[in-house]
Coordinates of all heavy atoms in Angstrom, one line a residue:
M1 N 14.4 121.7 4.8 CA 15.8 121.9 5.3 C 16.5 123.0 4.6 O 16.4 123.1 3.3 CB 16.6 120.7 5.2 CG 16.4 119.7 6.3 SD 17.8 119.7 7.3 CE 17.1 119.3 8.9
T2 N 17.1 123.9 5.3 CA 17.9 124.9 4.6 C 19.2 124.4 4.1 O 19.9 123.6 4.8 CB 18.2 126.0 5.7 OG1 17.0 126.5 6.2 CG2 18.9 127.2 5.0
R3 N 19.5 124.8 2.9 CA 20.7 124.3 2.3 C 21.8 125.4 2.4 O 21.5 126.6 2.5 CB 20.5 124.0 0.8 CG 19.5 122.9 0.6 CD 19.5 122.3 -0.8 NE 20.7 121.5 -1.1 CZ 20.9 120.3 -0.7 NH1 20.0 119.7 0.1 NH2 22.0 119.7 -1.0
V4 N 23.1 124.9 2.5 CA 24.2 125.8 2.5 C 25.1 125.5 1.3 O 25.1 124.3 0.9 CB 25.0 125.8 3.8 CG1 24.2 126.3 5.0 CG2 25.5 124.4 4.1
R5 N 25.8 126.5 0.9 CA 26.7 126.3 -0.3 C 28.0 126.9 0.1 O 28.1 128.0 0.5 CB 26.2 126.9 -1.5 CG 27.0 126.7 -2.7 CD 26.3 127.4 -3.9 NE 27.2 127.4 -5.1 CZ 26.9 126.9 -6.2 NH1 25.7 126.3 -6.4 NH2 27.7 126.9 -7.2
I6 N 29.1 126.0 0.1 CA 30.4 126.5 0.4 C 31.3 126.3 -0.8 O 30.9 125.6 -1.8 CB 31.0 125.8 1.7 CG1 31.3 124.3 1.4 CG2 30.1 126.0 2.9 CD1 32.0 123.6 2.5
E7 N 32.5 126.8 -0.7 CA 33.4 126.6 -1.8 C 34.7 125.9 -1.2 O 35.2 126.3 -0.2 CB 33.8 127.9 -2.4 CG 34.5 127.8 -3.7 CD 34.7 129.2 -4.3 OE1 33.7 129.8 -4.7 OE2 35.9 129.6 -4.4
V8 N 35.1 124.8 -1.9 CA 36.2 124.0 -1.4 C 37.3 124.0 -2.5 O 37.1 123.4 -3.6 CB 35.8 122.6 -1.0 CG1 37.1 121.8 -0.6 CG2 34.8 122.5 0.1
D9 N 38.4 124.7 -2.2 CA 39.4 124.9 -3.2 C 38.9 125.3 -4.6 O 39.2 124.7 -5.6 CB 40.3 123.6 -3.3 CG 41.3 123.5 -2.3 OD1 41.5 124.5 -1.5 OD2 41.9 122.4 -2.1
G10 N 37.9 126.2 -4.5 CA 37.3 126.7 -5.7 C 36.2 126.0 -6.3 O 35.5 126.5 -7.3
S11 N 35.8 124.9 -5.8 CA 34.7 124.1 -6.3 C 33.5 124.2 -5.3 O 33.6 124.1 -4.1 CB 35.0 122.6 -6.4 OG 36.1 122.5 -7.3
P12 N 32.3 124.4 -5.9 CA 31.1 124.5 -5.0 C 30.7 123.2 -4.4 O 30.8 122.1 -5.1 CB 30.0 125.0 -6.0 CG 30.5 124.6 -7.3 CD 31.9 124.6 -7.3
V13 N 30.3 123.2 -3.1 CA 29.9 122.0 -2.4 C 28.6 122.4 -1.7 O 28.6 123.4 -1.0 CB 30.9 121.5 -1.4 CG1 30.4 120.3 -0.6 CG2 32.2 121.1 -2.2
E14 N 27.6 121.6 -1.8 CA 26.3 121.9 -1.1 C 26.0 120.9 0.0 O 26.4 119.8 -0.1 CB 25.1 121.9 -2.1 CG 25.2 123.1 -3.0 CD 23.9 123.3 -3.8 OE1 22.9 122.5 -3.5 OE2 23.8 124.1 -4.6
G15 N 25.4 121.4 1.0 CA 25.0 120.5 2.1 C 23.8 121.1 2.9 O 23.1 122.1 2.3
L16 N 23.5 120.6 4.0 CA 22.4 121.1 4.8 C 22.9 121.9 6.0 O 23.9 121.7 6.5 CB 21.6 119.9 5.4 CG 21.0 119.0 4.3 CD1 20.3 117.7 5.0 CD2 20.0 119.7 3.4
A17 N 22.1 122.9 6.3 CA 22.4 123.8 7.5 C 22.6 122.9 8.7 O 21.8 122.0 8.9 CB 21.3 124.8 7.7
G18 N 23.7 123.2 9.4 CA 23.9 122.4 10.6 C 25.0 121.3 10.4 O 25.5 120.8 11.4
Q19 N 25.3 121.0 9.2 CA 26.3 120.0 8.9 C 27.7 120.6 9.1 O 27.9 121.8 8.9 CB 26.2 119.5 7.5 CG 25.1 118.5 7.3 CD 25.2 117.9 5.9 OE1 25.2 118.7 4.9 NE2 25.3 116.6 5.8
S20 N 28.6 119.8 9.6 CA 30.0 120.3 9.7 C 30.6 120.3 8.4 O 30.2 119.7 7.4 CB 30.8 119.4 10.7 OG 30.9 118.1 10.0
I21 N 31.7 121.1 8.3 CA 32.5 121.1 7.0 C 33.0 119.7 6.7 O 33.0 119.3 5.6 CB 33.6 122.1 7.1 CG1 33.1 123.5 7.1 CG2 34.6 121.9 6.0 CD1 34.1 124.6 7.4
A22 N 33.4 119.0 7.8 CA 33.8 117.6 7.5 C 32.7 116.7 6.9 O 33.0 115.9 6.0 CB 34.3 117.0 8.8
A23 N 31.5 116.9 7.4 CA 30.4 116.1 6.9 C 30.2 116.5 5.4 O 29.9 115.6 4.6 CB 29.1 116.4 7.7
L24 N 30.3 117.7 5.0 CA 30.1 118.1 3.6 C 31.2 117.5 2.8 O 31.0 117.0 1.7 CB 30.1 119.6 3.5 CG 28.7 120.3 3.4 CD1 28.0 120.1 4.8 CD2 28.8 121.7 3.0
L25 N 32.5 117.5 3.3 CA 33.6 116.9 2.6 C 33.4 115.4 2.4 O 33.6 114.8 1.3 CB 34.9 117.2 3.2 CG 35.4 118.6 3.2 CD1 36.6 118.9 4.1 CD2 35.7 119.1 1.8
L26 N 32.9 114.7 3.5 CA 32.7 113.3 3.4 C 31.6 113.0 2.4 O 31.6 112.0 1.7 CB 32.4 112.7 4.8 CG 33.6 112.7 5.8 CD1 33.0 112.4 7.2 CD2 34.6 111.7 5.3
A27 N 30.6 113.9 2.4 CA 29.4 113.6 1.5 C 29.9 113.7 0.0 O 29.2 113.2 -0.9 CB 28.3 114.6 1.8
T28 N 31.0 114.5 -0.3 CA 31.4 114.5 -1.6 C 32.3 113.3 -2.0 O 32.8 113.2 -3.1 CB 32.3 115.8 -1.9 OG1 33.5 115.7 -1.1 CG2 31.5 117.1 -1.5
G29 N 32.5 112.5 -1.0 CA 33.3 111.3 -1.3 C 34.8 111.4 -0.9 O 35.5 110.4 -1.0
R30 N 35.1 112.5 -0.3 CA 36.5 112.6 0.2 C 36.6 111.9 1.5 O 35.8 112.1 2.4 CB 36.9 114.1 0.4 CG 37.0 114.9 -0.8 CD 37.3 116.4 -0.4 NE 37.1 117.3 -1.4 CZ 38.2 117.8 -2.1 NH1 39.4 117.4 -1.9 NH2 38.0 118.6 -3.1
T31 N 37.6 111.1 1.6 CA 37.9 110.5 2.9 C 39.2 111.1 3.6 O 39.4 110.9 4.7 CB 38.1 109.0 2.8 OG1 39.1 108.7 1.9 CG2 36.8 108.3 2.4
S32 N 39.9 111.9 2.8 CA 41.1 112.6 3.3 C 41.2 113.9 2.6 O 40.8 114.0 1.4 CB 42.3 111.7 3.2 OG 42.7 111.6 1.9
W33 N 41.8 114.9 3.3 CA 42.0 116.2 2.6 C 43.2 116.9 3.1 O 43.4 118.1 2.9 CB 40.8 117.1 2.8 CG 40.2 117.2 4.2 CD1 40.7 118.0 5.2 CD2 39.1 116.4 4.7 NE1 39.9 117.8 6.3 CE2 39.0 116.8 6.0 CE3 38.3 115.4 4.2 CZ2 38.0 116.3 6.9 CZ3 37.3 114.9 5.0 CH2 37.2 115.3 6.3
R34 N 44.1 116.1 3.7 CA 45.4 116.7 4.2 C 46.4 115.6 4.1 O 46.0 114.4 4.2 CB 45.1 117.2 5.6 CG 46.2 118.1 6.1 CD 45.7 118.7 7.5 NE 45.8 117.7 8.5 CZ 46.9 117.3 9.2 NH1 48.0 117.8 8.9 NH2 46.8 116.4 10.1
R35 N 47.7 115.9 4.1 CA 48.7 114.9 4.1 C 49.7 115.3 5.2 O 50.0 116.5 5.4 CB 49.4 114.7 2.8 CG 48.4 114.2 1.8 CD 49.1 113.5 0.6 NE 48.2 112.8 -0.2 CZ 47.7 111.6 -0.1 NH1 48.3 110.8 0.9 NH2 46.8 111.1 -0.9
T36 N 50.3 114.3 5.8 CA 51.3 114.5 6.8 C 52.6 114.8 6.0 O 52.7 114.6 4.8 CB 51.5 113.3 7.7 OG1 52.0 112.2 6.9 CG2 50.3 113.0 8.4
R37 N 53.7 115.1 6.8 CA 55.0 115.4 6.2 C 55.5 114.1 5.4 O 56.2 114.2 4.4 CB 56.0 115.7 7.3 CG 56.9 116.8 7.0 CD 57.6 117.3 8.2 NE 56.8 118.3 8.9 CZ 56.9 118.6 10.2 NH1 57.7 117.9 10.9 NH2 56.2 119.5 10.7
T38 N 55.1 113.0 5.9 CA 55.5 111.7 5.2 C 54.6 111.3 4.1 O 54.7 110.2 3.6 CB 55.7 110.6 6.3 OG1 54.4 110.4 6.9 CG2 56.8 111.0 7.3
G39 N 53.5 112.1 3.9 CA 52.6 111.8 2.8 C 51.4 111.0 3.2 O 50.7 110.6 2.3
R40 N 51.2 110.7 4.4 CA 50.1 109.9 4.8 C 48.8 110.7 4.8 O 48.8 111.9 5.3 CB 50.3 109.3 6.2 CG 51.6 108.4 6.1 CD 51.8 107.8 7.5 NE 50.7 106.8 7.7 CZ 50.8 106.0 8.7 NH1 51.8 105.9 9.5 NH2 49.7 105.2 8.9
P41 N 47.7 110.2 4.3 CA 46.4 110.9 4.2 C 45.8 111.1 5.6 O 45.8 110.3 6.5 CB 45.6 110.0 3.4 CG 46.1 108.7 3.5 CD 47.6 108.8 3.8
R42 N 45.2 112.3 5.7 CA 44.4 112.6 7.0 C 43.1 113.2 6.6 O 43.0 114.0 5.7 CB 45.2 113.6 7.8 CG 46.5 113.0 8.4 CD 46.1 112.0 9.5 NE 47.3 111.5 10.2 CZ 47.9 110.4 9.9 NH1 47.5 109.7 8.8 NH2 49.0 110.0 10.5
G43 N 42.1 112.9 7.4 CA 40.8 113.5 7.3 C 40.1 113.4 8.6 O 40.7 113.9 9.6
V44 N 38.9 112.9 8.8 CA 38.3 112.7 10.1 C 38.9 111.5 10.7 O 38.9 110.4 10.1 CB 36.8 112.6 9.9 CG1 36.2 112.2 11.3 CG2 36.2 113.9 9.4
F45 N 39.3 111.7 11.9 CA 39.8 110.5 12.7 C 38.9 110.4 14.0 O 38.2 109.4 14.1 CB 41.3 110.7 13.1 CG 41.8 109.5 13.9 CD1 41.9 108.2 13.3 CD2 42.2 109.7 15.2 CE1 42.4 107.2 14.1 CE2 42.6 108.6 16.0 CZ 42.7 107.3 15.4
C46 N 39.0 111.4 14.9 CA 38.2 111.2 16.1 C 36.8 111.8 15.9 O 35.9 111.2 16.5 CB 38.9 112.0 17.2 SG 38.8 113.8 17.1
G47 N 36.6 112.8 15.1 CA 35.3 113.4 14.9 C 34.7 114.2 16.1 O 33.6 114.6 16.0
I48 N 35.6 114.4 17.1 CA 35.1 115.1 18.3 C 36.0 116.3 18.7 O 35.9 116.8 19.8 CB 34.9 114.2 19.5 CG1 36.2 113.4 19.8 CG2 33.8 113.2 19.2 CD1 36.2 112.7 21.1
G49 N 36.9 116.7 17.8 CA 37.7 117.8 18.0 C 39.0 117.6 18.8 O 39.6 118.6 19.2
T50 N 39.4 116.4 18.9 CA 40.6 116.1 19.8 C 41.8 116.0 19.0 O 42.9 116.4 19.4 CB 40.3 114.8 20.6 OG1 39.1 115.0 21.4 CG2 41.5 114.6 21.5
C51 N 41.8 115.3 17.8 CA 43.0 114.9 17.1 C 43.6 116.0 16.2 O 44.8 115.9 15.9 CB 42.8 113.6 16.4 SG 41.8 113.8 14.9
F52 N 42.8 116.9 15.7 CA 43.3 117.9 14.8 C 43.7 117.3 13.4 O 44.4 118.0 12.6 CB 44.4 118.8 15.3 CG 43.9 119.8 16.4 CD1 43.6 119.3 17.6 CD2 43.8 121.1 16.1 CE1 43.1 120.2 18.6 CE2 43.3 122.0 17.0 CZ 43.0 121.6 18.3
D53 N 43.3 116.1 13.1 CA 43.7 115.5 11.8 C 42.9 116.2 10.7 O 43.3 116.1 9.5 CB 43.4 114.0 11.8 CG 44.6 113.2 12.3 OD1 45.6 113.9 12.6 OD2 44.5 112.0 12.3
C54 N 41.8 116.8 11.0 CA 40.8 117.3 9.9 C 41.0 118.7 9.6 O 40.1 119.3 8.9 CB 39.4 117.0 10.4 SG 39.0 118.0 11.9
V55 N 42.0 119.4 10.0 CA 42.1 120.8 9.9 C 42.1 121.3 8.4 O 42.6 120.6 7.5 CB 43.3 121.4 10.6 CG1 43.2 121.3 12.1 CG2 44.6 120.8 10.1
V56 N 41.4 122.4 8.2 CA 41.3 123.1 7.0 C 41.5 124.6 7.2 O 41.4 125.1 8.4 CB 40.0 122.8 6.3 CG1 39.9 121.4 5.8 CG2 38.8 123.2 7.1
T57 N 41.6 125.4 6.2 CA 41.6 126.8 6.3 C 40.2 127.3 5.9 O 39.7 126.9 4.8 CB 42.6 127.4 5.3 OG1 43.9 127.0 5.7 CG2 42.6 129.0 5.4
V58 N 39.5 128.1 6.7 CA 38.2 128.6 6.5 C 38.2 130.1 6.5 O 38.6 130.7 7.5 CB 37.2 128.1 7.5 CG1 35.8 128.6 7.2 CG2 37.2 126.5 7.6
N59 N 37.8 130.7 5.4 CA 37.8 132.1 5.2 C 39.1 132.8 5.6 O 39.2 133.8 6.3 CB 36.6 132.7 6.0 CG 35.3 132.1 5.6 OD1 35.1 131.8 4.4 ND2 34.4 132.0 6.5
G60 N 40.2 132.1 5.3 CA 41.6 132.6 5.5 C 42.1 132.2 6.9 O 43.3 132.5 7.2
L61 N 41.4 131.6 7.7 CA 41.8 131.2 9.1 C 42.3 129.7 9.0 O 41.5 128.8 8.8 CB 40.7 131.4 10.1 CG 41.0 131.0 11.5 CD1 42.1 131.9 12.1 CD2 39.8 131.1 12.4
R62 N 43.6 129.5 9.3 CA 44.2 128.2 9.2 C 43.8 127.3 10.4 O 43.4 127.9 11.5 CB 45.7 128.3 9.2 CG 46.3 128.7 7.9 CD 47.9 128.6 8.0 NE 48.3 127.3 8.4 CZ 48.6 126.3 7.6 NH1 48.4 126.5 6.3 NH2 49.0 125.1 8.0
D63 N 43.9 126.0 10.3 CA 43.8 125.1 11.3 C 42.5 125.0 12.0 O 42.4 124.8 13.2 CB 44.9 125.3 12.4 CG 46.3 125.2 11.8 OD1 46.5 124.5 10.7 OD2 47.2 125.9 12.3
V64 N 41.4 125.2 11.2 CA 40.1 125.1 11.7 C 39.7 123.6 11.7 O 39.9 122.9 10.6 CB 39.1 125.9 10.9 CG1 37.6 125.6 11.3 CG2 39.4 127.4 11.0
R65 N 39.2 123.1 12.8 CA 38.8 121.6 12.8 C 37.5 121.5 12.0 O 36.5 121.9 12.5 CB 38.7 121.2 14.2 CG 40.1 121.1 14.9 CD 39.9 120.9 16.4 NE 39.3 122.1 17.0 CZ 38.9 122.2 18.2 NH1 39.1 121.2 19.1 NH2 38.4 123.3 18.7
A66 N 37.6 120.8 10.9 CA 36.4 120.6 10.0 C 35.3 119.9 10.7 O 34.2 120.1 10.4 CB 36.9 119.9 8.8
C67 N 35.7 119.0 11.7 CA 34.6 118.2 12.3 C 33.9 119.1 13.4 O 32.8 118.7 13.8 CB 35.2 117.0 13.0 SG 36.3 117.3 14.4
Q68 N 34.4 120.2 13.8 CA 33.8 121.0 14.8 C 33.1 122.3 14.2 O 32.4 123.0 14.9 CB 34.8 121.5 15.8 CG 35.4 120.3 16.6 CD 34.4 119.5 17.3 OE1 33.8 120.0 18.3 NE2 34.1 118.3 16.9
R69 N 33.5 122.6 13.0 CA 33.0 123.9 12.4 C 31.8 123.6 11.6 O 31.8 122.9 10.6 CB 34.1 124.5 11.6 CG 33.7 125.7 10.8 CD 33.4 126.9 11.6 NE 33.7 128.2 10.9 CZ 33.0 128.7 9.9 NH1 32.0 128.0 9.4 NH2 33.3 129.8 9.4
R70 N 30.6 124.2 11.9 CA 29.5 124.1 11.0 C 29.7 124.9 9.8 O 30.2 126.0 9.8 CB 28.2 124.6 11.8 CG 27.8 123.7 12.8 CD 26.5 124.1 13.4 NE 26.2 123.2 14.5 CZ 25.1 123.2 15.2 NH1 24.2 124.1 15.0 NH2 25.0 122.4 16.2
A71 N 29.3 124.3 8.7 CA 29.4 125.0 7.4 C 28.4 126.2 7.4 O 27.3 126.0 7.8 CB 29.1 124.0 6.3
A72 N 28.9 127.3 7.0 CA 28.1 128.5 6.9 C 28.0 128.9 5.4 O 29.0 128.8 4.7 CB 28.6 129.6 7.7
D73 N 26.9 129.3 4.9 CA 26.7 129.6 3.5 C 27.8 130.6 3.1 O 28.0 131.6 3.8 CB 25.3 130.2 3.3 CG 24.8 130.1 1.9 OD1 25.1 129.0 1.3 OD2 24.2 131.0 1.4
G74 N 28.5 130.3 2.1 CA 29.5 131.2 1.5 C 30.9 131.0 2.1 O 31.8 131.7 1.7
D75 N 31.0 130.0 3.0 CA 32.4 129.8 3.5 C 33.3 129.4 2.4 O 33.0 128.7 1.4 CB 32.4 128.6 4.5 CG 32.0 129.0 5.9 OD1 32.0 130.1 6.2 OD2 31.7 128.0 6.7
L76 N 34.6 129.9 2.5 CA 35.6 129.6 1.5 C 36.6 128.7 2.2 O 37.3 129.1 3.2 CB 36.3 130.8 1.0 CG 35.4 131.8 0.3 CD1 36.2 133.1 -0.1 CD2 34.8 131.2 -1.0
V77 N 36.6 127.4 1.8 CA 37.4 126.4 2.5 C 38.6 126.0 1.6 O 38.4 125.8 0.4 CB 36.6 125.1 2.8 CG1 37.4 124.0 3.4 CG2 35.4 125.5 3.7
E78 N 39.8 126.1 2.2 CA 41.0 125.6 1.4 C 41.6 124.4 2.2 O 41.7 124.4 3.4 CB 42.0 126.7 1.4 CG 41.5 128.0 0.7 CD 42.4 129.2 0.9 OE1 43.6 129.1 0.4 OE2 42.0 130.0 1.7
L79 N 41.9 123.4 1.4 CA 42.5 122.3 2.0 C 44.0 122.6 2.3 O 44.6 123.3 1.6 CB 42.4 121.1 1.1 CG 41.0 120.8 0.6 CD1 41.0 119.5 -0.3 CD2 40.0 120.6 1.8
Q80 N 44.5 122.1 3.4 CA 45.8 122.3 3.9 C 46.7 121.1 3.5 O 46.6 120.0 4.2 CB 45.9 122.6 5.4 CG 45.2 123.8 5.8 CD 45.3 124.1 7.2 OE1 44.6 125.0 7.7 NE2 46.2 123.5 8.0
E81 N 47.4 121.2 2.5 CA 48.2 120.1 2.0 C 49.5 119.9 2.8 O 50.2 118.9 2.7 CB 48.6 120.2 0.5 CG 47.3 120.1 -0.4 CD 46.7 118.7 -0.4 OE1 47.5 117.7 -0.1 OE2 45.5 118.5 -0.6
D82 N 49.9 120.9 3.6 CA 51.1 120.8 4.3 C 50.8 120.2 5.7 O 49.7 119.9 6.1 CB 51.7 122.2 4.5 CG 50.8 123.2 5.1 OD1 50.5 123.0 6.3 OD2 50.3 124.1 4.4
D83 N 51.9 120.1 6.5 CA 51.7 119.5 7.8 C 52.2 120.5 8.9 O 53.0 120.2 9.8 CB 52.5 118.2 8.0 CG 52.3 117.5 9.3 OD1 51.1 117.6 9.8 OD2 53.2 116.9 9.8
R84 N 51.7 121.8 8.8 CA 52.1 122.8 9.8 C 51.0 122.9 10.9 O 51.1 123.9 11.6 CB 52.3 124.1 9.1 CG 53.5 124.1 8.1 CD 53.8 125.5 7.6 NE 52.7 126.0 6.8 CZ 52.3 127.3 6.8 NH1 52.8 128.1 7.6 NH2 51.3 127.7 6.0
A85 N 50.1 122.0 10.9 CA 49.0 122.1 11.9 C 49.6 121.9 13.3 O 50.5 121.2 13.5 CB 47.9 121.1 11.7
Ligands
FES1 S1 38.6 114.6 13.3 FE1 39.7 114.8 15.1 S2 39.7 117.0 15.5 FE2 38.4 116.7 13.7

């Protein structure tokens, strides 16, 4: 299996080619990576691209659904702590 290596808020994360960014985040033990305006944690909810709870910034592009985006080697992922999604 081909491995991919991405960077999440400056930390390296490895996974397998074909995995979503959400899958890589979950594999690191994260269950949430964003907070609502009221401070409630958000991560994967629907897992099918409908709810937008899982959004992250990828290579400078905001509001990418982590459950729908396959991790590509070298991706720079930033967690979105705000609720502007
Ligand atoms: S978890 Fe719902 S859009 Fe990604």
Side-chain angles (χ1 to χ4, degrees):
M1 276 255 148
T2 305
R3 300 195 68 79
V4 294
R5 183 180 172 120
I6 67 173
E7 195 173 289
V8 178
D9 278 352
S11 298
V13 175
E14 287 192 6
L16 300 175
Q19 284 186 301
S20 67
I21 289 173
L24 266 65
L25 290 170
L26 290 168
T28 66
R30 290 178 192 262
T31 56
S32 67
W33 47 84
R34 194 172 72 78
R35 294 204 173 268
T36 66
R37 225 170 269 153
T38 59
R40 299 180 67 168
R42 292 290 185 264
V44 171
F45 181 67
C46 72
I48 58 172
T50 303
C51 73
F52 286 75
D53 271 0
C54 63
V55 294
V56 293
T57 298
V58 181
N59 302 326
L61 181 63
R62 282 185 57 87
D63 302 333
V64 174
R65 291 168 293 174
C67 70
Q68 297 298 295
R69 171 69 152 73
R70 287 187 186 184
D73 204 39
D75 276 346
L76 300 176
V77 176
E78 298 167 70
L79 305 184
Q80 294 182 195
E81 292 293 332
D82 56 68
D83 188 31
R84 292 190 296 141

